[in-house]
Amino acid sequence: MSEPEVRIRDLRVVYGDGRSGVDALGPLDLDVMRGQFVSVVGPSGCGKSTLARVLVGLAEPSAGSVVLAANERGSAMPSAIVFQDHAIFPWKTVLQNIAFGLTVSGVDHAQANARARSWVHRMGLTGFEDSYPSALSGGMQQRVGVARALAVEPDVLVMDEPFGSLDALLRDVLIEELLGLHQDLRCTVVFITHSLEEALVLSDRVVVLSARPGRILADRAVPFPRPRTLEVRDDPDFGSLRQDLWHLLRSQVDVGRSADERAAG
Amino acid sequence: MSVPQAEAQGSTAAAAVAGGRPAHRRARIGWILPLSLVLLWEGLTAVGVIDDRFFPPPSTIGIGAVRMVAEGDLLGDTLLTITRIAAGFVIGGILGYLTGLATGVFLTARRIVEPTLSAIYTVPKIALLPVFLTIFGFGEAPKIALVSLTVFFYVWIYTMEAVVQIPRGYRDAARSFRVTRRQELVHVVMPATLPSVFTGLRVAIAVAVLVTISSEYIVGGSGLGYLIFNSRALFKIEDAFVGIVVVAFLGYTLQLLVMRIGARVTRWHGSAPVATVRVNV
Ligand SMILES: Nc1ncnc2c1ncn2[C@@H]1O[C@H](COP(=O)(O)OP(=O)(O)O)[C@@H](O)[C@H]1O
Ligand SMILES: [Mg+2]
């Protein structure tokens, strides 16, 4: 059995300290194997973004450990993230945005541009290289965000509700594109979402978190073969899996609410 | 992957055309009011409603300007005033920008200096002129120092507030690529704050004109401020009005210049630097 690409042990994150500290996440144990696409779903405020931030080094574990195998290998960019909002820099052109991660890691200008350009084409952004994000639609902006993260060839791609602010139709388009990308690249992905449907269509595994502080309630394999399309949604097993996970999630939303009511009362 | 052309809100070229035309039209509309006032003034003096001994008509002011240029002192005074404004603007602008970045980025620095600077900020700068005269003597130094100080405060406050208000997402995005602090400054903090910095610079240049003229007025000797004051004292009302008109043009031109440069370097930004501004001399 090979080493997992992401190895999380007893992870806890607490914001602030002492009695006023907020328990945001954990304790949590999770392994993600190389090339695996894992979705993390959970009620709002359960610590999903916190987990994503820890994975890209934007937050520190308060206890426990997060080990990326790529770090041990001395990889240049062990992980990269795609955010929901404020994803891309409005003062940089599409090409400059995509090349950003390469530029700041010291890749020389010509090579960074060449690699960014190939991502421009791959993401269907040809012709918009020199446009500023304000001239792009939300969907195209998010493609730039995905390209910027993938251009550095991260060992683990972290996505924090990347399609959360797009309309349903556009979200479907981007989900299909992401399925294609994962099929080609076989990269390890940790995909944060609150949509069970998104999680089931995209992933090899779906992890359900409890209400805050998020702990693992369920960890289900998604059996549908790859390459996949959005049509897996019509599979009868899709419906029952979704139903099953939905009941779990729903119980947590109620837990969260009654906890909030107690806190307020 | 599909190419969703229809999704784009329009090419940059189309956006530039759409954004450019109304701006030009707005600029033209802006000339209607001053032009009407000039014509009204001319007309009312011609029929004798306005006393032209105290309010010489625009035509007389125009002729006066030509005479003053020929006599040789108007251009010299204008140039001196511009030099003082420019020197103060550059010195104060650079120091204000650097201080703004530092206090914006470092919370501790902000906590140390903010109360003091905020207290000085509310003092009308022109009230400090006597102090500066005592410190710097009667040469160019006190005037330029006063303008620099004024400009410094505007640029400092606008820059600091802009740094503090950068959405956290931009910094996080940069940090997720393990940037150094220097890279974060160059790639995020400095560009993100440019629109606000230019709004600050625009206010600053307007106030710099005001402070320069006032200090020339008070200190005397040379410059457009002195010219206006001195002409009035000698009952050369016409010459005083020439000075006032030149100052108005100067203020307008300098603001326009700053705005044009700002629009150019923040082309990515949807709108032009804000027009409504707070002024506190
Ligand atoms: N910087 C922070 N300081 C204090 N509390 C925070 C901070 N960030 C998040 N939290 C709290 O931690 C909990 C988890 O937040 P988050 O990870 O953003 O949840 P999710 O992404 O699942 O909605 C929430 O209750 C949130 O209010
Ligand atoms: Mg979140």
Side-chain angles (χ1 to χ4, degrees):
Chain A
M1 191 71 198
S2 61
E3 276 293 294
E5 192 63 29
V6 180
R7 186 190 181 92
I8 298 173
R9 285 292 173 273
D10 220 21
L11 170 67
R12 289 187 60 208
V13 178
V14 182
Y15 288 110
D17 44 29
R19 289 174 54 84
S20 61
V22 176
D23 263 317
L25 183 67
L28 190 107
D29 290 277
L30 183 69
D31 283 351
V32 180
M33 306 312 282
R34 191 165 200 173
Q36 209 168 37
F37 195 120
V38 176
S39 284
V40 178
V41 292
S44 160
C46 76
K48 301 184 295 295
S49 294
T50 302
L51 174 63
R53 295 171 65 81
V54 169
L55 287 173
V56 291
L58 287 174
E60 287 293 316
S62 307
S65 66
V66 174
V67 179
L68 301 185
N71 253 332
E72 317 282 285
R73 290 195 298 269
S75 159
M77 205 56 87
S79 56
I81 186 165
V82 180
F83 292 104
Q84 175 179 341
D85 294 314
H86 292 303
I88 51 177
F89 305 124
W91 50 87
K92 288 183 183 286
T93 63
V94 166
L95 194 70
Q96 289 167 342
N97 262 291
I98 298 177
F100 177 74
L102 299 167
T103 310
V104 296
S105 351
V107 175
D108 77 65
H109 191 68
Q111 207 199 336
N113 269 354
R115 277 164 70 180
R117 218 170 273 282
S118 79
W119 277 102
V120 165
H121 300 317
R122 177 160 205 164
M123 301 303 284
L125 295 163
T126 310
F128 292 95
E129 290 88 341
D130 300 321
S131 302
Y132 287 100
S134 58
L136 304 183
S137 68
M140 296 180 80
Q141 292 186 12
Q142 203 49 298
R143 287 188 184 91
V144 176
V146 172
R148 183 181 61 185
L150 286 174
V152 296
E153 294 170 7
D155 295 272
V156 179
L157 176 67
V158 181
M159 305 180 86
D160 187 4
E161 306 201 28
F163 309 142
S165 51
L166 303 179
D167 64 64
L169 196 64
L170 201 51
R171 179 161 24 196
D172 281 356
V173 173
L174 279 146
I175 286 173
E176 288 224 299
E177 291 178 6
L178 185 56
L179 276 174
L181 279 173
H182 181 251
Q183 193 69 33
D184 295 346
L185 302 168
R186 298 274 166 194
C187 47
T188 312
V189 183
V190 176
F191 187 90
I192 312 278
T193 176
H194 56 237
S195 156
L196 279 173
E197 186 173 281
E198 238 173 56
L200 288 170
V201 169
L202 286 163
S203 327
D204 302 308
R205 261 167 82 196
V206 175
V207 172
V208 180
L209 294 188
S210 68
R212 186 175 67 82
R215 280 142 297 147
I216 293 181
L217 279 187
D219 185 344
R220 298 286 159 82
V222 181
F224 314 114
R226 292 185 189 272
R228 267 187 219 164
T229 65
L230 280 170
E231 273 153 33
V232 290
R233 288 187 296 199
D234 304 329
D235 193 306
D237 288 343
F238 188 94
S240 55
L241 199 50
R242 185 193 155 126
Q243 194 73 0
D244 181 21
L245 293 176
W246 190 76
H247 280 296
L248 262 178
L249 209 56
R250 204 210 134 120
S251 68
Q252 290 309 304
V253 174
D254 287 340
V255 167
R257 188 180 302 144
S258 52
D260 283 347
E261 274 159 12
R262 272 200 306 278
Chain B
M1 213 161 266
S2 62
V3 184
Q5 291 290 355
E7 248 183 65
Q9 286 165 355
S11 69
T12 28
V17 169
R21 219 175 267 147
H24 281 230
R25 213 172 283 152
R26 261 195 316 258
R28 250 178 274 140
I29 289 176
W31 283 106
I32 295 175
L33 185 61
L35 225 56
S36 315
L37 287 178
V38 164
L39 289 177
L40 187 69
W41 185 356
E42 186 76 49
L44 290 180
T45 30
V47 298
V49 176
I50 295 179
D51 188 339
D52 62 4
R53 280 171 306 168
F54 300 112
F55 302 101
S59 56
T60 313
I61 295 174
I63 295 165
V66 174
R67 175 180 45 76
M68 286 164 77
V69 170
E71 282 170 7
D73 48 359
L74 182 59
L75 279 184
D77 278 324
T78 307
L79 219 60
L80 261 173
T81 299
I82 292 177
T83 311
R84 287 167 188 152
I85 295 170
F89 187 68
V90 169
I91 296 171
I94 291 174
L95 292 179
Y97 182 58
L98 294 178
T99 313
L101 283 181
T103 52
V105 170
F106 300 107
L107 183 65
T108 317
R110 187 155 71 247
R111 290 203 172 130
I112 291 172
V113 300
E114 202 178 4
T116 313
L117 290 180
S118 298
I120 305 174
Y121 179 63
T122 54
V123 175
K125 300 306 168 297
I126 201 74
L128 294 174
L129 188 59
V131 182
F132 279 45
L133 288 172
T134 314
I135 300 172
F136 294 107
F138 273 84
E140 288 301 308
K143 286 173 238 162
I144 292 176
L146 194 67
V147 178
S148 304
L149 188 75
T150 309
V151 170
F152 168 84
F153 275 100
Y154 283 105
V155 178
W156 166 60
I157 294 224
Y158 274 88
T159 306
M160 182 177 72
E161 280 181 4
V163 174
V164 172
Q165 276 162 18
I166 298 174
R168 177 172 120 163
Y170 294 137
R171 295 173 142 208
D172 281 351
R175 285 177 191 174
S176 74
F177 289 102
R178 287 88 175 159
V179 290
T180 61
R181 293 211 76 145
R182 215 194 111 248
Q183 286 172 328
E184 189 178 326
L185 188 73
V186 172
H187 289 281
V188 179
V189 177
M190 286 166 61
T193 51
L194 266 188
S196 296
V197 169
F198 268 93
T199 305
L201 285 174
R202 190 202 153 177
V203 189
I205 196 86
V207 182
V209 173
L210 212 143
V211 170
T212 306
I213 299 299
S214 312
S215 59
E216 287 170 348
Y217 199 100
I218 295 168
V219 176
S222 63
L224 289 171
Y226 170 70
L227 184 142
I228 296 169
F229 174 79
N230 194 40
S231 305
R232 209 201 71 91
L234 299 175
F235 295 104
K236 297 202 279 188
I237 302 298
E238 187 187 308
D239 290 16
F241 270 99
V242 171
I244 292 169
V245 169
V246 173
V247 170
F249 265 107
L250 195 61
Y252 175 79
T253 311
L254 289 175
Q255 281 195 71
L256 197 68
L257 191 69
V258 171
M259 273 179 7
R260 284 279 162 84
I261 296 171
R264 189 155 267 260
V265 299
T266 59
R267 248 181 331 126
W268 53 270
H269 197 244
S271 57
V274 197
T276 42
V277 287
R278 303 163 299 159
V279 173
N280 177 359
V281 185

